[in-house]
Every structure is written in C-alpha cells, then in structure tokens.
Amino acid sequence: MKLHRYFLLFAFIFTGLTATFAQVPIGQWRDQLPYTLCNSVTEVGNKIYFSTPYAVFYFDKEDNSVTRITKISGLSDIGISCITYNKEYQTLVIAYTNANIDLIKNNTIINISDIKRKQILGNKTINNVYFIGKYAYLSCGFGIVVLDIDKEEIRETYYIGKDGSQVNVLCLVKDDKDSLFAASERGIYKAWSKDPNLANFAAWKKDAKIDSMAKYNTMTFFNGKVVVNKKLTGIASDTLYIYAGGAWSRWDRDLFNPVMRLESNSKYLLISYNYFVKVVNTSLEQVANIWDYYPGNPFPQDAIADKDDIVWVGDTYNGAVSFTIATTSVQHIPMSGPLTAKAFSMTCTGNDLYIAPGGRDASYIPLYNAPQVYHFNSTNWKNIAGYNSPVINLTHDIDCVAIDPFDPTRVYAGSYGTGLLELKNDSVIRRYTESNSTLRHHTSSDTSDIRVGGATFDAKGNLWVVTSHNNSCLSMKKGDKWTGFTIPIVNENDLGQILVNSLGQKWIQMRYGNMNPYSILVFDDNETPENPGDDKAIKLNSAVGSGNIPGNIVFAMAEDKKGEIWIGTEKGVAVFYSPENIFTGQNFDAQRPLVQQGSYVQYLLENETATAIAIDGDNRKWIGTDRGGVFLFSEDGTKEIYHFTAENSPLLSNRITGLAINKDGEVFFGTDNGVISFRSTATPGGDSNSDVVAFPNPVRAEYDGYIAIKGLVNQAQVRITDISGVLIYSTKAEGGQAIWNGRNFNGSKAHTGVYLVFASSDDGKEKVVTKILIVN
C-alpha cells in the first residue's frame, strides 16, 4: 500500500543562537518534540539529514538553515529507527521501529506500510537500511526485506534462519566479491548476492569462521574489507573484526568501549563508540578522535564523514554536532525543544508552558525519573536539569508545576518523593522539605520521602501544595509564611492533583483502592487558614448522595467559566453543576452530559477513559482520552466540534497524558509519544477590549488560512467592512478572539485593500476599530 503526500517544510536560520518559531496560524499544528537524541545521520548533497525517534531535520551547509520534517508536515509515523539516502535514485528512506516506511522524493512523502500491516509474529523493527542499486535491503527483527525504491514496492522477504525461521538481522552489507553479510543477534549469515533464490533459507549459511553464536550489531564495507563489531555485555569489551582474503581477523581498538555504529565512505571509516568517535583512514590509521564537543561530552549514536571532510555526529544528549577534520573545530546545531518526550502534567499561564516529565505509577509509587522541568515561552525552550541547575539533582520525579499568577517568572515544581522546588527565572533557588515548610513526609520511616502530588495557586496568589499518604497533607504558602492543614478523614491515603475553584474549595484527587473507596477529597478552610475550627472536608465517590461519580478513578478535574467542576474518569465525563452545595446538605451530585448520536442518546464519552480536561477561552471543553485521542466539545458538552486522533491528524498518539491552553488559544496535547500543539479559534475574553490586533496583517496573496482578531471583549460582536463602509462579513468572538476566512458573504476572496473591523460588547459599551490590509 502506497500513500503519497506533499509536505511543507519549516525552516529557521542558524545564527549560533537557539532556534525560534514563528507564530502559528489558526487551525495549524506545530511540534514540541525533543531534538537532542539523534539516532541516525545521512548526507544528501549539501544537506545533512538527522533523525530522532520523533522527526527528521536537515542542516543546509549553504545557508546554515535547519528544516524540520515531522508528522505535521507529512511523515506517516513516529518511532524512527534510521534514515539512509540513495544518491542514484535521489530517495531518502525513513524506517520506523514498527516496520513502517516513508520514502521522500522530490518533496513528496510516499508511505509504504505493507510490512507494518502484515501479520508477523515477533519483532518487526527495521534496524538498518542498505542499498544495492535501486533496492533497499531492510534489516528487520524477523529477517530481511527487499524494497524496490524505484517502483516503490516490496520485492522479496528473506527468512534466513534455520528451516526458514526468524532471525533478528541488525545490519547487512555486500563486499566486492558479491557476497552478502547479514549481522544478527546469533552470528553472521552469508549468501551470494546474485543467487536467484535468496528467498530460500538454504541460500544463507552461518559463517563458521567467526563466533556463530555472538551478537553483531553493526557492520560496514570499507576499502575492500568488511568491518563488523562483536557486541558483548557487561564489562566485557566489544571487539571489531575485519574480513579480507576469505578470513576474519581481530582488530582490537579501545577495549571496554561499546561500539554503537560503523559508517564509511571512500576515505574514512567512522567508529561511534559510546563516549567518542574515531575517524580512520584507508590504511586503518587514526586521523581524528572526537573526545569533546566544547562544551559537552559526546554520547554518539551515529557519525558520518561528508564530501568536505566534515564529521557529522548524531548524539544521544547533544543532538547534531559537526567536527571539521582539518581544523578540529566543533559546531553545535541548535534545535529548540524539551529534553525528552515525557509529559506527566502540563501547566500554562499567559504564553508560558511548563511540562513536568516525572510522575508516579498507577499505585502512586515513584518512578525515579530524572528531575527535570521544561519551559516553553511560545518561542524558545528552556530545560531545567542538573547540568544547569544543580539543586534539582537532589530530587526526582517532578510531577506538577504551579506558576505564580502575579509573577510568572516564579514557579514551583513538586517532586513525588523529595519535596517542592522554587524556581525563579528558570533557575532552582530553593527546595522545601520538612525542615523549612509545613510539607510532611509519607508515613514510612523515611522523613525525606515527601511526595508532592499536586500544587496550584488560588485567586489571591496563595500557593497550595498536597503531600501524599499522610493526614497533614495540605499546605498553604502566603509570601514566605507556611500554614499546614491536617485532615483526619484522609486516613493516610494517597493524594494527587489539586484544584482550587472560584469558591475557594480545594478539590483533591484521591487514589481509589481496597483501602480507600473514595475518588475526590474536597476541603474548605472558610478563608480562615489560621482557624482550623471552621474547616470542612468531605470525600466523594460513586454513591448517590456522595458524589455520584461515574467510575472510581478520577484522572482529571477542571473548573469552567461558570464555576462548574468537570471531571474525567475511566467511565467518561461528569459535571458538578452546584459545587456551592457541597457542604450545605443540598444535592450536589455529579451529572453526566447526554449526547445525541444519530437516533441514540448516550452519556458523554461513556466508553472512554477521560484522562485530561482543559477549558478554552470560549468555555468549550477539550477532553483527552486514554485510547481515543482528543475531543473538543461545546460549552455544555453536547456538541462535538473536533475529534483528533493519530490516524486523522498529526496527533502523536491516541493516549493523552495532559492538556494545556495558552492565552493565544494554542492547545498543547501531552501524549505518551511527546507533545504537539494546535492553534485553536478561542482565546480568553476580558471585560474590555485590550491590545486588539489582527494576525496575520498584512494578509499576503499566498495566505489562505484564518485571520484572527484577538484581544476583544468576551463574546464581542464583530463586523468587517471595506474602506467605503460596505459590510462584507460579521461574526461573534469565541471568547476574546474572532476569526475571518478572508472571504465575503458570497464566499469570494476579499480584494486587495484596507478593511475595517468594528467590535463591540453586547451592551455596546465596549467598542473598538482596527484595520486589516489584504494584498492579493
């Protein structure tokens, strides 16, 4: 099966600084992927292509630009294992770990999904790609697949193991005697490349002249010799072997260093070890050794030498790096992005997005992920980790972030096991534990085990922090003063995220289980934190009169603009329409919105696990699910507006871990495969028009997207006229933003000229006029 897509390229010019992004148009996507882990490199003319598990990008040596190719611009998948270029047929092959294949020819992506779709038991990973003429030999987890890149079709499949069994082939090359060498997890297999029946397993023989049970992970043909690496485990050293004159000989280099990849061209053999790269000439003499990136230590995955004698390294932690052999100069190719694809939780204030990549498992046990926080200001990424903020190294599992609403440069990050961090201007300035706060430890004997399950600010700028598995579970920080709250009914159960609603109530996620048949804790200090005598607390579950929560596990909570509390569980979505009744004795039970589906009426997402909820500027509900992607529903949840999946959109996965929306209406989707965003139509609206602007402006002839008018009063009435006052379009703002497709009522594209935008509130008290220039 072949699918052709033309793709768009997103480029920026390398100036030695971090890459920047243009403002994303309405209805468009952009990736928020890590580009620090580069696993494959290949040369395409004057461009050097790199792959990460999530995307491909290339560096143009002529203009120093970097261009990304992602699922947004047409890639069919994520999980890239390697890339290789066929110069004769001008084709880039992108291979995926799930056996999917993309070919890029003349700015067109051709997807070949035959192997991915085929029912093959076992490992289907494509480990490596090797060209012989127009054929790409794919080293796969089950054998070898031959792809005709000219006809864009699978030609043959070789099962080369005993009696046609599967073999995990890791690499393949051909020597100058037309012998094929297939390196595998169990020995090296050989065959004659001109054998007309290579699909017959009998054509492949294990090479008995070398250890036939060892693992050989990488191989290349260089200067008339086959070079292969014997992969060993533990403290044992990898060993390089050379095949020449019909025999193998051992070629030891740098004992006790694992070899990641072997690459070669007509002049150089490149050996990517785990901590450095060696460059060897045709006499097998070392001509360069890349030990340092100045700054940064090498952790190479792959390295090639181009036609200009420049070595290009794809690194685990440093991304793309170049090394000029003649001068030994090093150049970093900056790619802005988070350090990893993990997103346990996400938080937005204004246009600042923070990602907490740590977390805990379903049993509320720490995962011991590296302590990191990722900050995106809508233009650049800043990653806070041990290498640039040493205090963070004292922690692990950052699972939540709270942004000070009155000082967005001050941020608090909760660690599930080591307390709370305070950050200022992206640097950790202090850590809060039992010694300097009211935070309390897990009921185990380890007093340092402070598991922060959630943190947030209230409307007055007070920080509220939840600690798990103790009754002194809630703390408030006002300025520099801490106040602790003990809630006996918690009964030392596990607690997670916290929501402080407009009534001042604290809604706290509880872990449901055999020891705790409750899902939510609601606490109210009556706005008198110094007086525990008037505190109130209640636990909610699925019982009528006690919450009527559908299901048992609450994954998400959000307050909408009407003060209603929306929750997501393993049985869909429910709404507390009257949270003010929680402590009055009146009915407050959650209700499930009903949705019309054809002739049937059903509960909203009743067959989905709702894992994340976010409210946009027009009070619409974005809901992420565990397996079904992302939905956008109307304000009351009865009308579906969008349903994004990995199959019908650039969404990276259907498993959603978090949602966040910035002030420009850009919606960030956290998935188990990374973060991606979509520029939606709604933004928060205020009580007055403020800094009203149109984007883009001017509107060029080549632009065919939506024009946004933002900064409007909430639900503003908008009229657009030409310069003579003729009305050509009218609409209503979605929150604080109105959109126009640049066409009149008849659907014709507006002519070149200046257009006036008149916006006013419903009562006519708030009015504003702005202009849009259209150039066709």
Side-chain angles (χ1 to χ4, degrees):
M1 178 181 179
K2 292 186 292 183
L3 179 64
H4 292 69
R5 298 185 182 93
Y6 291 98
F7 67 94
L8 300 174
L9 299 178
F10 299 93
F12 60 85
I13 303 299
F14 170 51
T15 62
L17 303 175
T18 304
T20 59
F21 297 83
Q23 189 172 11
V24 60
I26 299 290
Q28 298 298 308
W29 297 73
R30 64 171 167 173
D31 75 272
Q32 317 294 342
L33 293 170
Y35 286 90
T36 52
L37 195 167
C38 291
N39 57 10
S40 189
V41 191
T42 192
E43 182 180 14
V44 183
N46 287 316
K47 301 178 178 68
I48 306 299
Y49 278 69
F50 297 84
S51 69
T52 76
Y54 314 99
V56 172
F57 64 94
Y58 64 79
F59 178 74
D60 192 321
K61 295 190 294 181
E62 293 184 345
D63 61 12
N64 282 352
S65 66
V66 177
T67 302
R68 305 179 183 213
I69 309 172
T70 68
K71 197 176 178 190
I72 296 171
S73 47
L75 293 186
S76 63
D77 222 323
I78 60 171
I80 299 170
S81 57
C82 63
I83 57 174
T84 312
Y85 183 68
N86 186 304
K87 183 177 180 181
E88 181 182 358
Y89 289 86
Q90 298 181 10
T91 301
L92 179 73
V93 177
I94 303 172
Y96 297 89
T97 54
N98 63 1
N100 208 354
I101 303 165
D102 280 338
L103 308 180
I104 298 184
K105 300 179 179 180
N106 299 320
N107 284 352
T108 303
I109 297 176
I110 302 100
N111 176 236
I112 300 175
S113 60
D114 302 60
I115 313 173
K116 176 185 176 181
R117 292 181 292 105
K118 188 175 181 180
Q119 295 298 317
I120 299 175
L121 296 177
N123 180 9
K124 292 172 68 173
T125 299
I126 300 177
N127 299 304
N128 197 40
V129 179
Y130 182 77
F131 292 115
I132 302 177
K134 68 174 183 176
Y135 298 114
Y137 287 73
L138 312 178
S139 299
C140 301
F142 56 87
I144 300 167
V145 174
V146 183
L147 168 66
D148 187 326
I149 61 173
D150 185 33
K151 294 182 179 180
E152 302 163 5
E153 62 185 22
I154 302 296
R155 182 171 180 263
E156 290 182 302
T157 300
Y158 306 153
Y159 291 92
I160 66 174
K162 183 178 180 182
D163 298 325
S165 60
Q166 294 186 1
V167 172
N168 186 9
V169 179
L170 300 172
C171 198
L172 181 142
V173 299
K174 183 176 78 73
D175 70 4
D176 51 4
K177 302 293 193 299
D178 291 322
S179 293
L180 292 173
F181 295 75
S184 80
E185 283 193 333
R186 290 295 184 94
I188 295 176
Y189 290 78
K190 291 180 64 178
W192 185 46
S193 65
K194 298 186 182 297
D195 191 321
N197 198 19
L198 284 172
N200 183 352
F201 68 88
W204 296 84
K205 305 294 183 183
K206 257 194 182 183
D207 193 336
K209 298 178 181 179
I210 196 169
D211 188 346
S212 62
M213 296 303 293
K215 176 179 179 179
Y216 299 89
N217 68 316
T218 182
M219 179 167 33
T220 190
F221 183 68
F222 175 62
N223 194 34
K225 305 175 182 65
V226 175
V227 184
V228 68
N229 180 62
K230 180 180 178 180
K231 190 74 177 172
L232 299 177
T233 58
I235 62 171
S237 168
D238 283 8
T239 306
L240 292 170
Y241 287 84
I242 291 176
Y243 183 85
W248 291 99
S249 60
R250 181 169 173 165
W251 181 43
D252 282 332
R253 301 189 66 86
D254 298 292
L255 295 177
F256 306 110
N257 283 101
V259 174
M260 311 302 291
R261 191 78 62 92
L262 295 171
E263 300 274 12
S264 63
N265 61 13
S266 61
K267 294 176 64 176
Y268 301 112
L269 167 68
L270 291 97
I271 310 167
S272 295
Y273 291 92
N274 58 339
Y275 293 125
F276 56 97
V277 177
K278 279 192 177 295
V279 185
V280 176
N281 63 18
T282 55
S283 299
L284 300 183
E285 298 169 337
Q286 178 181 310
V287 296
N289 196 345
I290 306 172
W291 286 97
D292 202 317
Y293 289 152
Y294 305 103
N297 297 315
F299 296 91
Q301 293 276 333
D302 192 15
I304 65 168
D306 69 11
K307 61 181 182 292
D308 300 315
D309 289 355
I310 299 174
V311 176
W312 298 88
V313 183
D315 194 274
T316 304
Y317 304 110
N318 298 281
V321 181
S322 73
F323 174 89
T324 303
I325 294 175
T327 63
T328 71
S329 61
V330 176
Q331 181 184 40
H332 292 256
I333 311 302
M335 294 291 293
S336 186
L339 286 177
T340 73
K342 297 177 181 177
F344 183 80
S345 68
M346 304 190 301
T347 306
C348 264
T349 291
N351 276 336
D352 288 294
L353 168 74
Y354 285 85
I355 296 176
R360 54 184 182 268
D361 67 14
S363 299
Y364 280 51
I365 303 299
L367 298 173
Y368 294 95
N369 285 320
Q372 297 170 352
V373 177
Y374 312 144
H375 174 203
F376 182 53
N377 66 3
S378 197
T379 301
N380 294 312
W381 284 90
K382 178 64 182 295
N383 298 302
I384 301 99
Y387 69 88
N388 58 17
S389 205
V391 176
I392 204 172
N393 272 339
L394 301 173
T395 68
H396 60 81
D397 287 316
I398 305 300
D399 65 346
C400 61
V401 174
I403 309 169
D404 189 333
F406 298 108
D407 180 8
T409 65
R410 189 177 303 276
V411 173
Y412 294 84
S415 160
Y416 201 71
T418 50
L420 181 76
L421 297 174
E422 181 179 355
L423 291 76
K424 179 68 175 175
N425 294 320
D426 292 331
S427 293
V428 179
I429 59 175
R430 62 179 58 87
R431 180 167 71 106
Y432 294 101
T433 62
E434 287 196 356
S435 65
N436 59 356
S437 74
T438 56
L439 302 178
R440 294 296 174 256
H441 69 278
H442 187 281
T443 50
S444 65
S445 58
D446 183 0
T447 58
S448 66
D449 186 7
I450 300 172
R451 303 184 183 185
V452 177
T456 192
F457 280 87
D458 64 22
K460 296 180 180 179
N462 301 314
L463 175 68
W464 292 84
V465 184
V466 174
T467 51
S468 185
H469 213 85
N470 66 82
N471 289 347
S472 299
C473 57
L474 188 61
S475 294
M476 183 192 79
K477 182 177 182 290
K478 182 177 183 179
D480 292 327
K481 180 184 177 182
W482 284 88
T483 301
F485 300 85
T486 298
I487 310 175
I489 66 170
V490 169
N491 199 26
E492 297 182 352
N493 281 295
D494 287 316
L495 304 177
Q497 63 176 290
I498 177 174
L499 163 70
V500 180
N501 69 356
S502 54
L503 300 173
Q505 299 169 343
K506 289 74 187 174
W507 291 63
I508 302 171
Q509 178 186 26
M510 300 191 78
R511 181 172 74 90
Y512 178 90
N514 293 332
M515 303 298 292
N516 175 51
Y518 296 95
S519 307
I520 295 177
L521 168 72
V522 184
F523 174 79
D524 190 353
D525 68 323
N526 203 31
E527 296 190 359
T528 57
E530 70 286 349
N531 178 20
D534 61 358
D535 294 352
K536 300 173 183 177
I538 187 174
K539 294 186 290 188
L540 309 180
N541 61 14
S542 59
V544 174
S546 295
N548 194 33
I549 296 171
N552 298 311
I553 304 172
V554 171
F555 293 96
M557 301 181 295
E559 182 186 28
D560 75 2
K561 296 184 181 302
K562 293 182 177 180
E564 299 166 354
I565 306 296
W566 289 65
I567 63 168
T569 77
E570 81 276 20
K571 291 189 177 180
V573 176
V575 186
F576 287 92
Y577 291 105
S578 303
E580 67 276 7
N581 291 341
I582 288 281
F583 298 108
T584 66
Q586 300 179 55
N587 178 40
F588 63 85
D589 276 353
Q591 299 178 44
R592 304 171 74 179
L594 292 169
V595 180
Q596 184 85 27
Q597 297 283 349
S599 58
Y600 297 95
V601 176
Q602 65 181 44
Y603 291 123
L604 180 63
L605 298 180
E606 65 176 328
N607 297 317
E608 300 282 358
T609 296
T611 56
I613 301 175
I615 313 298
D616 74 10
D618 200 27
N619 206 27
R620 302 178 303 181
K621 279 66 183 180
W622 288 89
I623 301 175
T625 68
D626 183 54
R627 299 293 175 91
V630 177
F631 296 81
L632 173 62
F633 291 102
S634 59
E635 180 179 20
D636 61 2
T638 61
K639 180 182 178 182
E640 181 183 306
I641 300 169
Y642 292 135
H643 179 200
F644 295 135
T645 67
E647 292 72 34
N648 70 11
S649 76
L651 193 67
L652 300 171
S653 169
N654 289 328
R655 307 192 73 168
I656 307 302
T657 60
L659 294 171
I661 306 175
N662 71 12
K663 72 175 184 179
D664 286 338
E666 189 170 5
V667 187
F668 296 87
F669 309 118
T671 79
D672 59 344
N673 286 326
V675 178
I676 195 167
S677 63
F678 172 80
R679 179 73 181 273
S680 185
T681 55
T683 65
D687 296 327
S688 61
N689 297 305
S690 176
D691 298 325
V692 175
V693 295
F695 170 81
N697 195 11
V699 182
R700 305 292 182 184
E702 64 273 13
Y703 184 75
D704 195 33
Y706 286 109
I707 303 162
I709 303 102
K710 62 180 184 178
L712 301 174
V713 64
N714 191 46
Q715 304 290 316
Q717 299 292 335
V718 177
R719 294 181 301 121
I720 300 173
T721 73
D722 61 20
I723 198 66
S724 62
V726 177
L727 180 68
I728 66 167
Y729 191 76
S730 64
T731 187
K732 186 177 182 179
E734 297 179 12
Q737 178 171 269
I739 60 170
W740 177 38
N741 62 4
R743 298 176 183 272
N744 60 25
F745 288 118
N746 296 323
S748 301
K749 200 167 185 178
H751 298 298
T752 295
V754 175
Y755 291 82
L756 303 178
V757 179
F758 299 87
S760 65
S761 57
D762 285 336
D763 59 12
K765 293 181 180 180
E766 283 293 327
K767 299 179 180 179
V768 70
V769 179
T770 190
K771 298 177 181 179
I772 300 173
L773 172 61
I774 292 182
V775 182
N776 284 329

